[in-house]
Amino acid sequence: MAVTRTFSIIKPDATRRNLTGAVTKMLEDAGLRVVASKRIHMTKEQAEGFYAVHKERPFFGELCEFMTSGPVVVQVLEGEDAVKRNRDIMGATNPADAAEGTIRKTFAEGIEANSVHGSDSDENAAIEIAYFFKPEEIVG
Ligand code: UDP
């Protein structure tokens, strides 16, 4: 299996509860390496651009409000089959459906405040990484 990269966000519900370290430990324990990380407070424009694929969905406005409600930690994660590995440790979007031992089952407050984002394909990972990081900010 090839070593690849994915993009992760520790969302405002998790930073508010001081869970940055706990979430990162679960990512690391799952075999992912943090090769870039920064804490930012997203602007409305940044959030709307990031979630542009969801523009027509009924939850778009609220989601962008939530994502700008506090700081987030954006990260680039590296590991074997990183996109799938990260999706597996994240768990299902709705924590009620997430498997035991996943980040969302352990920490999420609800379907919106679900603690983490993770890219869903290698293509989107590349786009999302480039949205937040310059190449020189990623140190593998
Ligand atoms: N979301 C929401 N309501 C929904 C579905 C999704 O608020 O009914 C939010 C949730 O924070 C989710 C994000 O929108 O993580 C993106 O949704 P997606 O379907 O891409 O889920 P993910 O890939 O994050 O599991």
mmCIF file of all heavy atoms in Angstrom, residues 29-80:
data_model
loop_
_atom_site.group_PDB
_atom_site.id
_atom_site.type_symbol
_atom_site.label_atom_id
_atom_site.label_comp_id
_atom_site.label_asym_id
_atom_site.label_seq_id
_atom_site.Cartn_x
_atom_site.Cartn_y
_atom_site.Cartn_z
ATOM 1 N N ASP A 29 -2.162 7.062 16.680
ATOM 2 C CA ASP A 29 -2.270 5.642 17.050
ATOM 3 C C ASP A 29 -2.816 4.803 15.881
ATOM 4 O O ASP A 29 -2.590 3.596 15.832
ATOM 5 C CB ASP A 29 -3.184 5.471 18.280
ATOM 6 C CG ASP A 29 -2.507 5.945 19.565
ATOM 7 O OD1 ASP A 29 -1.284 6.195 19.544
ATOM 8 O OD2 ASP A 29 -3.212 6.069 20.583
ATOM 9 N N ALA A 30 -3.545 5.456 14.977
ATOM 10 C CA ALA A 30 -4.081 4.760 13.799
ATOM 11 C C ALA A 30 -3.041 4.646 12.688
ATOM 12 O O ALA A 30 -3.342 4.131 11.605
ATOM 13 C CB ALA A 30 -5.329 5.484 13.283
ATOM 14 N N GLY A 31 -1.839 5.157 12.924
ATOM 15 C CA GLY A 31 -0.769 4.997 11.938
ATOM 16 C C GLY A 31 -0.573 6.201 11.037
ATOM 17 O O GLY A 31 0.112 6.116 10.014
ATOM 18 N N LEU A 32 -1.171 7.329 11.419
ATOM 19 C CA LEU A 32 -1.027 8.542 10.615
ATOM 20 C C LEU A 32 -0.022 9.479 11.272
ATOM 21 O O LEU A 32 0.049 9.560 12.515
ATOM 22 C CB LEU A 32 -2.391 9.236 10.474
ATOM 23 C CG LEU A 32 -3.394 8.429 9.641
ATOM 24 C CD1 LEU A 32 -4.826 8.876 9.937
ATOM 25 C CD2 LEU A 32 -3.089 8.551 8.153
ATOM 26 N N ARG A 33 0.751 10.174 10.439
ATOM 27 C CA ARG A 33 1.778 11.101 10.942
ATOM 28 C C ARG A 33 1.341 12.521 10.573
ATOM 29 O O ARG A 33 0.970 12.780 9.423
ATOM 30 C CB ARG A 33 3.109 10.764 10.259
ATOM 31 C CG ARG A 33 4.281 11.636 10.674
ATOM 32 C CD ARG A 33 5.541 11.169 9.944
ATOM 33 N NE ARG A 33 5.894 9.802 10.342
ATOM 34 C CZ ARG A 33 6.670 9.497 11.393
ATOM 35 N NH1 ARG A 33 7.206 10.464 12.113
ATOM 36 N NH2 ARG A 33 6.924 8.244 11.698
ATOM 37 N N VAL A 34 1.403 13.435 11.557
ATOM 38 C CA VAL A 34 1.046 14.830 11.289
ATOM 39 C C VAL A 34 2.250 15.507 10.637
ATOM 40 O O VAL A 34 3.266 15.728 11.306
ATOM 41 C CB VAL A 34 0.656 15.564 12.592
ATOM 42 C CG1 VAL A 34 0.278 17.015 12.292
ATOM 43 C CG2 VAL A 34 -0.493 14.838 13.295
ATOM 44 N N VAL A 35 2.148 15.830 9.344
ATOM 45 C CA VAL A 35 3.287 16.439 8.641
ATOM 46 C C VAL A 35 3.098 17.944 8.433
ATOM 47 O O VAL A 35 3.995 18.628 7.944
ATOM 48 C CB VAL A 35 3.590 15.718 7.305
ATOM 49 C CG1 VAL A 35 4.082 14.296 7.569
ATOM 50 C CG2 VAL A 35 2.398 15.731 6.363
ATOM 51 N N ALA A 36 1.924 18.452 8.825
ATOM 52 C CA ALA A 36 1.669 19.899 8.852
ATOM 53 C C ALA A 36 0.490 20.134 9.777
ATOM 54 O O ALA A 36 -0.426 19.308 9.837
ATOM 55 C CB ALA A 36 1.354 20.438 7.458
ATOM 56 N N SER A 37 0.523 21.253 10.508
ATOM 57 C CA SER A 37 -0.555 21.529 11.456
ATOM 58 C C SER A 37 -0.571 23.012 11.777
ATOM 59 O O SER A 37 0.481 23.619 11.998
ATOM 60 C CB SER A 37 -0.310 20.740 12.750
ATOM 61 O OG SER A 37 -1.366 20.925 13.665
ATOM 62 N N LYS A 38 -1.753 23.602 11.777
ATOM 63 C CA LYS A 38 -1.867 24.984 12.290
ATOM 64 C C LYS A 38 -3.259 25.240 12.815
ATOM 65 O O LYS A 38 -4.236 24.703 12.306
ATOM 66 C CB LYS A 38 -1.454 26.018 11.240
ATOM 67 C CG LYS A 38 -2.221 26.028 9.956
ATOM 68 C CD LYS A 38 -1.570 27.032 8.983
ATOM 69 C CE LYS A 38 -2.173 26.881 7.594
ATOM 70 N NZ LYS A 38 -1.441 27.637 6.575
ATOM 71 N N ARG A 39 -3.292 26.073 13.866
ATOM 72 C CA ARG A 39 -4.566 26.461 14.478
ATOM 73 C C ARG A 39 -4.983 27.786 13.851
ATOM 74 O O ARG A 39 -4.220 28.764 13.875
ATOM 75 C CB ARG A 39 -4.353 26.599 15.983
ATOM 76 C CG ARG A 39 -5.594 26.947 16.780
ATOM 77 C CD ARG A 39 -5.222 26.861 18.250
ATOM 78 N NE ARG A 39 -6.184 27.493 19.122
ATOM 79 C CZ ARG A 39 -7.049 26.800 19.888
ATOM 80 N NH1 ARG A 39 -7.082 25.489 19.839
ATOM 81 N NH2 ARG A 39 -7.870 27.445 20.686
ATOM 82 N N ILE A 40 -6.200 27.812 13.295
ATOM 83 C CA ILE A 40 -6.679 29.025 12.629
ATOM 84 C C ILE A 40 -8.133 29.272 13.033
ATOM 85 O O ILE A 40 -8.815 28.355 13.504
ATOM 86 C CB ILE A 40 -6.602 28.912 11.079
ATOM 87 C CG1 ILE A 40 -7.477 27.753 10.574
ATOM 88 C CG2 ILE A 40 -5.169 28.755 10.607
ATOM 89 C CD1 ILE A 40 -7.659 27.740 9.061
ATOM 90 N N HIS A 41 -8.587 30.490 12.835
ATOM 91 C CA HIS A 41 -10.010 30.780 12.961
ATOM 92 C C HIS A 41 -10.485 31.105 11.548
ATOM 93 O O HIS A 41 -10.160 32.148 11.003
ATOM 94 C CB HIS A 41 -10.250 31.953 13.916
ATOM 95 C CG HIS A 41 -11.663 32.034 14.393
ATOM 96 N ND1 HIS A 41 -12.007 32.283 15.688
ATOM 97 C CD2 HIS A 41 -12.840 31.854 13.733
ATOM 98 C CE1 HIS A 41 -13.331 32.274 15.818
ATOM 99 N NE2 HIS A 41 -13.849 32.014 14.636
ATOM 100 N N MET A 42 -11.228 30.193 10.957
ATOM 101 C CA MET A 42 -11.647 30.358 9.559
ATOM 102 C C MET A 42 -12.562 31.563 9.397
ATOM 103 O O MET A 42 -13.424 31.794 10.239
ATOM 104 C CB MET A 42 -12.445 29.132 9.102
ATOM 105 C CG MET A 42 -11.628 28.072 8.458
ATOM 106 S SD MET A 42 -12.737 26.949 7.570
ATOM 107 C CE MET A 42 -12.157 25.416 8.225
ATOM 108 N N THR A 43 -12.368 32.270 8.294
ATOM 109 C CA THR A 43 -13.319 33.323 7.937
ATOM 110 C C THR A 43 -14.534 32.668 7.279
ATOM 111 O O THR A 43 -14.472 31.512 6.838
ATOM 112 C CB THR A 43 -12.710 34.313 6.931
ATOM 113 O OG1 THR A 43 -12.434 33.590 5.712
ATOM 114 C CG2 THR A 43 -11.425 34.930 7.465
ATOM 115 N N LYS A 44 -15.622 33.441 7.191
ATOM 116 C CA LYS A 44 -16.844 32.957 6.529
ATOM 117 C C LYS A 44 -16.517 32.572 5.074
ATOM 118 O O LYS A 44 -16.957 31.532 4.580
ATOM 119 C CB LYS A 44 -17.886 34.077 6.573
ATOM 120 C CG LYS A 44 -19.265 33.714 6.109
ATOM 121 C CD LYS A 44 -20.252 34.792 6.584
ATOM 122 C CE LYS A 44 -21.649 34.534 6.060
ATOM 123 N NZ LYS A 44 -21.857 35.041 4.698
ATOM 124 N N GLU A 45 -15.710 33.404 4.426
ATOM 125 C CA GLU A 45 -15.365 33.155 3.017
ATOM 126 C C GLU A 45 -14.575 31.851 2.881
ATOM 127 O O GLU A 45 -14.793 31.068 1.955
ATOM 128 C CB GLU A 45 -14.544 34.329 2.454
ATOM 129 C CG GLU A 45 -15.312 35.621 2.262
ATOM 130 C CD GLU A 45 -15.751 36.290 3.576
ATOM 131 O OE1 GLU A 45 -15.036 36.166 4.603
ATOM 132 O OE2 GLU A 45 -16.820 36.916 3.586
ATOM 133 N N GLN A 46 -13.643 31.644 3.801
ATOM 134 C CA GLN A 46 -12.844 30.403 3.770
ATOM 135 C C GLN A 46 -13.734 29.176 3.939
ATOM 136 O O GLN A 46 -13.596 28.188 3.224
ATOM 137 C CB GLN A 46 -11.826 30.410 4.920
ATOM 138 C CG GLN A 46 -10.436 30.832 4.531
ATOM 139 C CD GLN A 46 -9.516 30.836 5.743
ATOM 140 O OE1 GLN A 46 -9.905 31.270 6.830
ATOM 141 N NE2 GLN A 46 -8.292 30.381 5.557
ATOM 142 N N ALA A 47 -14.659 29.241 4.915
ATOM 143 C CA ALA A 47 -15.543 28.094 5.184
ATOM 144 C C ALA A 47 -16.462 27.844 3.991
ATOM 145 O O ALA A 47 -16.655 26.694 3.566
ATOM 146 C CB ALA A 47 -16.357 28.354 6.446
ATOM 147 N N GLU A 48 -17.008 28.904 3.427
ATOM 148 C CA GLU A 48 -17.921 28.744 2.280
ATOM 149 C C GLU A 48 -17.180 28.174 1.074
ATOM 150 O O GLU A 48 -17.714 27.347 0.343
ATOM 151 C CB GLU A 48 -18.572 30.087 1.929
ATOM 152 C CG GLU A 48 -19.624 30.478 2.954
ATOM 153 C CD GLU A 48 -20.219 31.862 2.729
ATOM 154 O OE1 GLU A 48 -19.725 32.605 1.850
ATOM 155 O OE2 GLU A 48 -21.174 32.190 3.449
ATOM 156 N N GLY A 49 -15.951 28.602 0.895
ATOM 157 C CA GLY A 49 -15.147 28.073 -0.221
ATOM 158 C C GLY A 49 -14.790 26.617 0.001
ATOM 159 O O GLY A 49 -14.867 25.792 -0.910
ATOM 160 N N PHE A 50 -14.441 26.297 1.240
ATOM 161 C CA PHE A 50 -14.048 24.921 1.554
ATOM 162 C C PHE A 50 -15.205 23.951 1.352
ATOM 163 O O PHE A 50 -15.028 22.850 0.829
ATOM 164 C CB PHE A 50 -13.541 24.843 3.000
ATOM 165 C CG PHE A 50 -13.082 23.474 3.384
ATOM 166 C CD1 PHE A 50 -11.884 22.980 2.882
ATOM 167 C CD2 PHE A 50 -13.841 22.669 4.204
ATOM 168 C CE1 PHE A 50 -11.452 21.703 3.199
ATOM 169 C CE2 PHE A 50 -13.421 21.386 4.532
ATOM 170 C CZ PHE A 50 -12.227 20.903 4.026
ATOM 171 N N TYR A 51 -16.399 24.363 1.766
ATOM 172 C CA TYR A 51 -17.571 23.479 1.683
ATOM 173 C C TYR A 51 -18.428 23.773 0.447
ATOM 174 O O TYR A 51 -19.617 23.424 0.428
ATOM 175 C CB TYR A 51 -18.405 23.604 2.956
ATOM 176 C CG TYR A 51 -17.857 22.805 4.122
ATOM 177 C CD1 TYR A 51 -17.487 23.416 5.310
ATOM 178 C CD2 TYR A 51 -17.738 21.415 4.044
ATOM 179 C CE1 TYR A 51 -16.998 22.673 6.379
ATOM 180 C CE2 TYR A 51 -17.244 20.671 5.104
ATOM 181 C CZ TYR A 51 -16.877 21.301 6.264
ATOM 182 O OH TYR A 51 -16.398 20.550 7.314
ATOM 183 N N ALA A 52 -17.841 24.385 -0.584
ATOM 184 C CA ALA A 52 -18.604 24.774 -1.780
ATOM 185 C C ALA A 52 -19.383 23.607 -2.388
ATOM 186 O O ALA A 52 -20.478 23.807 -2.927
ATOM 187 C CB ALA A 52 -17.674 25.400 -2.819
ATOM 188 N N VAL A 53 -18.855 22.375 -2.279
ATOM 189 C CA VAL A 53 -19.569 21.215 -2.845
ATOM 190 C C VAL A 53 -20.916 20.999 -2.155
ATOM 191 O O VAL A 53 -21.809 20.366 -2.723
ATOM 192 C CB VAL A 53 -18.769 19.889 -2.758
ATOM 193 C CG1 VAL A 53 -17.568 19.915 -3.661
ATOM 194 C CG2 VAL A 53 -18.394 19.551 -1.327
ATOM 195 N N HIS A 54 -21.067 21.521 -0.942
ATOM 196 C CA HIS A 54 -22.314 21.334 -0.186
ATOM 197 C C HIS A 54 -23.242 22.548 -0.282
ATOM 198 O O HIS A 54 -24.229 22.628 0.448
ATOM 199 C CB HIS A 54 -22.004 21.083 1.295
ATOM 200 C CG HIS A 54 -21.311 19.785 1.569
ATOM 201 N ND1 HIS A 54 -21.758 18.586 1.066
ATOM 202 C CD2 HIS A 54 -20.203 19.491 2.296
ATOM 203 C CE1 HIS A 54 -20.954 17.614 1.475
ATOM 204 N NE2 HIS A 54 -19.994 18.140 2.207
ATOM 205 N N LYS A 55 -22.922 23.480 -1.209
ATOM 206 C CA LYS A 55 -23.642 24.765 -1.310
ATOM 207 C C LYS A 55 -25.162 24.615 -1.351
ATOM 208 O O LYS A 55 -25.893 25.407 -0.767
ATOM 209 C CB LYS A 55 -23.156 25.479 -2.574
ATOM 210 C CG LYS A 55 -22.964 26.929 -2.419
ATOM 211 C CD LYS A 55 -22.308 27.662 -3.584
ATOM 212 C CE LYS A 55 -22.680 27.231 -4.971
ATOM 213 N NZ LYS A 55 -21.516 26.762 -5.747
ATOM 214 N N GLU A 56 -25.623 23.589 -2.059
ATOM 215 C CA GLU A 56 -27.074 23.419 -2.236
ATOM 216 C C GLU A 56 -27.720 22.614 -1.113
ATOM 217 O O GLU A 56 -28.938 22.443 -1.107
ATOM 218 C CB GLU A 56 -27.372 22.736 -3.587
ATOM 219 C CG GLU A 56 -26.728 23.405 -4.800
ATOM 220 C CD GLU A 56 -27.076 24.890 -4.923
ATOM 221 O OE1 GLU A 56 -28.171 25.297 -4.493
ATOM 222 O OE2 GLU A 56 -26.217 25.644 -5.427
ATOM 223 N N ARG A 57 -26.907 22.081 -0.194
ATOM 224 C CA ARG A 57 -27.473 21.241 0.861
ATOM 225 C C ARG A 57 -28.132 22.120 1.929
ATOM 226 O O ARG A 57 -27.680 23.240 2.176
ATOM 227 C CB ARG A 57 -26.372 20.371 1.514
ATOM 228 C CG ARG A 57 -25.525 19.588 0.530
ATOM 229 C CD ARG A 57 -26.170 18.304 0.073
ATOM 230 N NE ARG A 57 -26.164 17.288 1.104
ATOM 231 C CZ ARG A 57 -25.147 16.461 1.367
ATOM 232 N NH1 ARG A 57 -24.023 16.555 0.682
ATOM 233 N NH2 ARG A 57 -25.251 15.536 2.291
ATOM 234 N N PRO A 58 -29.201 21.611 2.577
ATOM 235 C CA PRO A 58 -29.929 22.443 3.555
ATOM 236 C C PRO A 58 -29.086 22.853 4.759
ATOM 237 O O PRO A 58 -29.356 23.878 5.388
ATOM 238 C CB PRO A 58 -31.096 21.547 3.988
ATOM 239 C CG PRO A 58 -30.723 20.157 3.575
ATOM 240 C CD PRO A 58 -29.824 20.292 2.384
ATOM 241 N N PHE A 59 -28.025 22.078 5.047
ATOM 242 C CA PHE A 59 -27.229 22.369 6.243
ATOM 243 C C PHE A 59 -26.050 23.298 5.965
ATOM 244 O O PHE A 59 -25.277 23.605 6.877
ATOM 245 C CB PHE A 59 -26.738 21.061 6.892
ATOM 246 C CG PHE A 59 -25.927 20.163 5.987
ATOM 247 C CD1 PHE A 59 -24.582 20.393 5.774
ATOM 248 C CD2 PHE A 59 -26.522 19.073 5.356
ATOM 249 C CE1 PHE A 59 -23.830 19.567 4.943
ATOM 250 C CE2 PHE A 59 -25.778 18.237 4.522
ATOM 251 C CZ PHE A 59 -24.427 18.491 4.318
ATOM 252 N N PHE A 60 -25.913 23.785 4.700
ATOM 253 C CA PHE A 60 -24.714 24.540 4.309
ATOM 254 C C PHE A 60 -24.486 25.790 5.182
ATOM 255 O O PHE A 60 -23.379 26.019 5.694
ATOM 256 C CB PHE A 60 -24.807 24.938 2.836
ATOM 257 C CG PHE A 60 -23.655 25.774 2.355
ATOM 258 C CD1 PHE A 60 -22.401 25.225 2.176
ATOM 259 C CD2 PHE A 60 -23.830 27.142 2.098
ATOM 260 C CE1 PHE A 60 -21.335 26.005 1.733
ATOM 261 C CE2 PHE A 60 -22.778 27.926 1.664
ATOM 262 C CZ PHE A 60 -21.530 27.356 1.477
ATOM 263 N N GLY A 61 -25.524 26.604 5.340
ATOM 264 C CA GLY A 61 -25.383 27.858 6.093
ATOM 265 C C GLY A 61 -24.971 27.613 7.535
ATOM 266 O O GLY A 61 -24.023 28.226 8.044
ATOM 267 N N GLU A 62 -25.674 26.693 8.178
ATOM 268 C CA GLU A 62 -25.370 26.379 9.576
ATOM 269 C C GLU A 62 -23.988 25.768 9.731
ATOM 270 O O GLU A 62 -23.274 26.037 10.694
ATOM 271 C CB GLU A 62 -26.403 25.390 10.133
ATOM 272 C CG GLU A 62 -27.604 26.078 10.731
ATOM 273 C CD GLU A 62 -28.477 25.127 11.550
ATOM 274 O OE1 GLU A 62 -27.945 24.121 12.052
ATOM 275 O OE2 GLU A 62 -29.677 25.404 11.649
ATOM 276 N N LEU A 63 -23.622 24.911 8.768
ATOM 277 C CA LEU A 63 -22.304 24.270 8.820
ATOM 278 C C LEU A 63 -21.202 25.333 8.763
ATOM 279 O O LEU A 63 -20.238 25.285 9.542
ATOM 280 C CB LEU A 63 -22.170 23.272 7.661
ATOM 281 C CG LEU A 63 -20.807 22.600 7.508
ATOM 282 C CD1 LEU A 63 -20.431 21.785 8.741
ATOM 283 C CD2 LEU A 63 -20.802 21.704 6.252
ATOM 284 N N CYS A 64 -21.350 26.309 7.866
ATOM 285 C CA CYS A 64 -20.337 27.363 7.746
ATOM 286 C C CYS A 64 -20.302 28.209 9.020
ATOM 287 O O CYS A 64 -19.218 28.621 9.470
ATOM 288 C CB CYS A 64 -20.589 28.222 6.509
ATOM 289 S SG CYS A 64 -20.297 27.301 4.984
ATOM 290 N N GLU A 65 -21.456 28.454 9.617
ATOM 291 C CA GLU A 65 -21.482 29.185 10.892
ATOM 292 C C GLU A 65 -20.755 28.415 11.982
ATOM 293 O O GLU A 65 -19.969 28.969 12.744
ATOM 294 C CB GLU A 65 -22.926 29.438 11.338
ATOM 295 C CG GLU A 65 -23.418 30.792 10.913
ATOM 296 C CD GLU A 65 -24.746 31.148 11.539
ATOM 297 O OE1 GLU A 65 -25.000 30.772 12.703
ATOM 298 O OE2 GLU A 65 -25.526 31.807 10.846
ATOM 299 N N PHE A 66 -21.043 27.116 12.044
ATOM 300 C CA PHE A 66 -20.382 26.271 13.041
ATOM 301 C C PHE A 66 -18.866 26.266 12.841
ATOM 302 O O PHE A 66 -18.099 26.419 13.803
ATOM 303 C CB PHE A 66 -20.942 24.847 12.969
ATOM 304 C CG PHE A 66 -20.099 23.829 13.674
ATOM 305 C CD1 PHE A 66 -19.873 23.904 15.041
ATOM 306 C CD2 PHE A 66 -19.496 22.793 12.964
ATOM 307 C CE1 PHE A 66 -19.073 22.972 15.688
ATOM 308 C CE2 PHE A 66 -18.694 21.860 13.599
ATOM 309 C CZ PHE A 66 -18.472 21.951 14.969
ATOM 310 N N MET A 67 -18.433 26.129 11.602
ATOM 311 C CA MET A 67 -16.993 26.009 11.334
ATOM 312 C C MET A 67 -16.236 27.311 11.606
ATOM 313 O O MET A 67 -15.015 27.298 11.720
ATOM 314 C CB MET A 67 -16.753 25.542 9.898
ATOM 315 C CG MET A 67 -17.188 24.109 9.650
ATOM 316 S SD MET A 67 -16.337 22.885 10.687
ATOM 317 C CE MET A 67 -14.705 22.890 9.938
ATOM 318 N N THR A 68 -16.985 28.427 11.693
ATOM 319 C CA THR A 68 -16.351 29.711 12.018
ATOM 320 C C THR A 68 -16.663 30.142 13.454
ATOM 321 O O THR A 68 -16.370 31.267 13.844
ATOM 322 C CB THR A 68 -16.816 30.813 11.036
ATOM 323 O OG1 THR A 68 -18.252 30.896 11.091
ATOM 324 C CG2 THR A 68 -16.399 30.503 9.616
ATOM 325 N N SER A 69 -17.242 29.250 14.246
ATOM 326 C CA SER A 69 -17.673 29.602 15.608
ATOM 327 C C SER A 69 -16.515 29.571 16.615
ATOM 328 O O SER A 69 -16.680 29.983 17.759
ATOM 329 C CB SER A 69 -18.778 28.658 16.084
ATOM 330 O OG SER A 69 -18.275 27.340 16.256
ATOM 331 N N GLY A 70 -15.378 29.063 16.202
ATOM 332 C CA GLY A 70 -14.215 28.988 17.077
ATOM 333 C C GLY A 70 -13.027 28.498 16.273
ATOM 334 O O GLY A 70 -13.155 28.222 15.083
ATOM 335 N N PRO A 71 -11.871 28.367 16.942
ATOM 336 C CA PRO A 71 -10.681 27.907 16.225
ATOM 337 C C PRO A 71 -10.811 26.467 15.745
ATOM 338 O O PRO A 71 -11.543 25.665 16.339
ATOM 339 C CB PRO A 71 -9.560 28.026 17.249
ATOM 340 C CG PRO A 71 -10.166 28.429 18.529
ATOM 341 C CD PRO A 71 -11.626 28.674 18.350
ATOM 342 N N VAL A 72 -10.089 26.180 14.681
ATOM 343 C CA VAL A 72 -9.955 24.801 14.197
ATOM 344 C C VAL A 72 -8.462 24.513 14.056
ATOM 345 O O VAL A 72 -7.648 25.431 14.025
ATOM 346 C CB VAL A 72 -10.655 24.580 12.832
ATOM 347 C CG1 VAL A 72 -12.148 24.864 12.923
ATOM 348 C CG2 VAL A 72 -10.003 25.417 11.730
ATOM 349 N N VAL A 73 -8.119 23.227 13.972
ATOM 350 C CA VAL A 73 -6.735 22.851 13.674
ATOM 351 C C VAL A 73 -6.745 22.109 12.348
ATOM 352 O O VAL A 73 -7.371 21.041 12.234
ATOM 353 C CB VAL A 73 -6.129 21.989 14.796
ATOM 354 C CG1 VAL A 73 -4.694 21.583 14.441
ATOM 355 C CG2 VAL A 73 -6.132 22.749 16.129
ATOM 356 N N VAL A 74 -6.122 22.713 11.342
ATOM 357 C CA VAL A 74 -6.024 22.053 10.039
ATOM 358 C C VAL A 74 -4.706 21.287 9.994
ATOM 359 O O VAL A 74 -3.673 21.766 10.472
ATOM 360 C CB VAL A 74 -6.127 23.074 8.870
ATOM 361 C CG1 VAL A 74 -7.531 23.644 8.779
ATOM 362 C CG2 VAL A 74 -5.113 24.200 9.000
ATOM 363 N N GLN A 75 -4.771 20.071 9.445
ATOM 364 C CA GLN A 75 -3.597 19.196 9.459
ATOM 365 C C GLN A 75 -3.452 18.450 8.142
ATOM 366 O O GLN A 75 -4.450 18.124 7.488
ATOM 367 C CB GLN A 75 -3.730 18.152 10.579
ATOM 368 C CG GLN A 75 -3.764 18.734 11.983
ATOM 369 C CD GLN A 75 -3.937 17.672 13.058
ATOM 370 O OE1 GLN A 75 -4.702 16.729 12.879
ATOM 371 N NE2 GLN A 75 -3.238 17.818 14.163
ATOM 372 N N VAL A 76 -2.222 18.166 7.791
ATOM 373 C CA VAL A 76 -1.936 17.211 6.725
ATOM 374 C C VAL A 76 -1.432 15.939 7.393
ATOM 375 O O VAL A 76 -0.527 15.996 8.241
ATOM 376 C CB VAL A 76 -0.877 17.748 5.737
ATOM 377 C CG1 VAL A 76 -0.621 16.726 4.623
ATOM 378 C CG2 VAL A 76 -1.311 19.088 5.149
ATOM 379 N N LEU A 77 -2.057 14.826 7.049
ATOM 380 C CA LEU A 77 -1.700 13.533 7.641
ATOM 381 C C LEU A 77 -1.101 12.644 6.568
ATOM 382 O O LEU A 77 -1.591 12.608 5.430
ATOM 383 C CB LEU A 77 -2.946 12.850 8.205
ATOM 384 C CG LEU A 77 -3.802 13.677 9.169
ATOM 385 C CD1 LEU A 77 -5.061 12.894 9.564
ATOM 386 C CD2 LEU A 77 -2.997 14.058 10.412
ATOM 387 N N GLU A 78 -0.068 11.907 6.952
ATOM 388 C CA GLU A 78 0.619 11.026 6.001
ATOM 389 C C GLU A 78 0.626 9.601 6.555
ATOM 390 O O GLU A 78 0.785 9.398 7.764
ATOM 391 C CB GLU A 78 2.051 11.535 5.841
ATOM 392 C CG GLU A 78 2.818 10.904 4.690
ATOM 393 C CD GLU A 78 4.188 11.561 4.548
ATOM 394 O OE1 GLU A 78 5.122 11.125 5.251
ATOM 395 O OE2 GLU A 78 4.307 12.515 3.765
ATOM 396 N N GLY A 79 0.449 8.649 5.675
ATOM 397 C CA GLY A 79 0.494 7.250 6.099
ATOM 398 C C GLY A 79 0.084 6.348 4.949
ATOM 399 O O GLY A 79 -0.286 6.823 3.871
ATOM 400 N N GLU A 80 0.142 5.044 5.189
ATOM 401 C CA GLU A 80 -0.288 4.100 4.156
ATOM 402 C C GLU A 80 -1.781 4.255 3.940
ATOM 403 O O GLU A 80 -2.556 4.200 4.889
ATOM 404 C CB GLU A 80 0.046 2.668 4.590
ATOM 405 C CG GLU A 80 1.519 2.374 4.437
ATOM 406 C CD GLU A 80 1.828 0.895 4.621
ATOM 407 O OE1 GLU A 80 0.899 0.091 4.722
ATOM 408 O OE2 GLU A 80 3.022 0.571 4.678
#
